[in-house]
Amino acid sequence: MSMFCIERQDQNKGWVKEMCFRTAFKAYMNARTKSMVTFHTYRVIDTSVGDVVSLVERRPPQNERSKLRQD
């Protein structure tokens, strides 16, 4: 049975494993929620093959992105 683990990108340690789930959907939703709260980049790994299933990148809040476009 496959497990899907989420990993957080750390500037000093590289990718740090945080949690594992039975479905890719649950792992993705958890990674997305954490990314929205912490503004860190997360990825979901399928442990049966070691492939990255998805990558959730942190992004600045909408009002900050619009400021960047005006500069």
Side-chain angles (χ1 to χ4, degrees), residues 40-59:
H40 287 104
T41 301
Y42 284 83
R43 67 182 181 181
V44 177
I45 305 289
D46 180 348
T47 60
S48 66
V49 290
D51 287 342
V52 176
V53 175
S54 62
L55 182 72
V56 182
E57 295 181 299
R58 71 180 189 144
R59 297 181 183 221

Side-chain angles (χ1 to χ4, degrees), residues 7-20:
E7 296 179 345
R8 176 180 40 86
Q9 189 175 30
D10 184 273
Q11 291 181 353
N12 300 323
K13 299 178 185 176
W15 291 100
V16 179
K17 186 188 283 187
E18 291 199 352
M19 310 177 88
C20 294

Side-chain angles (χ1 to χ4, degrees), residues 22-54:
R22 289 185 183 172
T23 67
F25 179 75
K26 286 183 181 180
Y28 172 79
M29 291 305 294
N30 189 280
R32 183 177 177 274
T33 301
K34 286 179 177 249
S35 181
M36 290 174 66
V37 172
T38 64
F39 297 106
H40 287 104
T41 301
Y42 284 83
R43 67 182 181 181
V44 177
I45 305 289
D46 180 348
T47 60
S48 66
V49 290
D51 287 342
V52 176
V53 175
S54 62

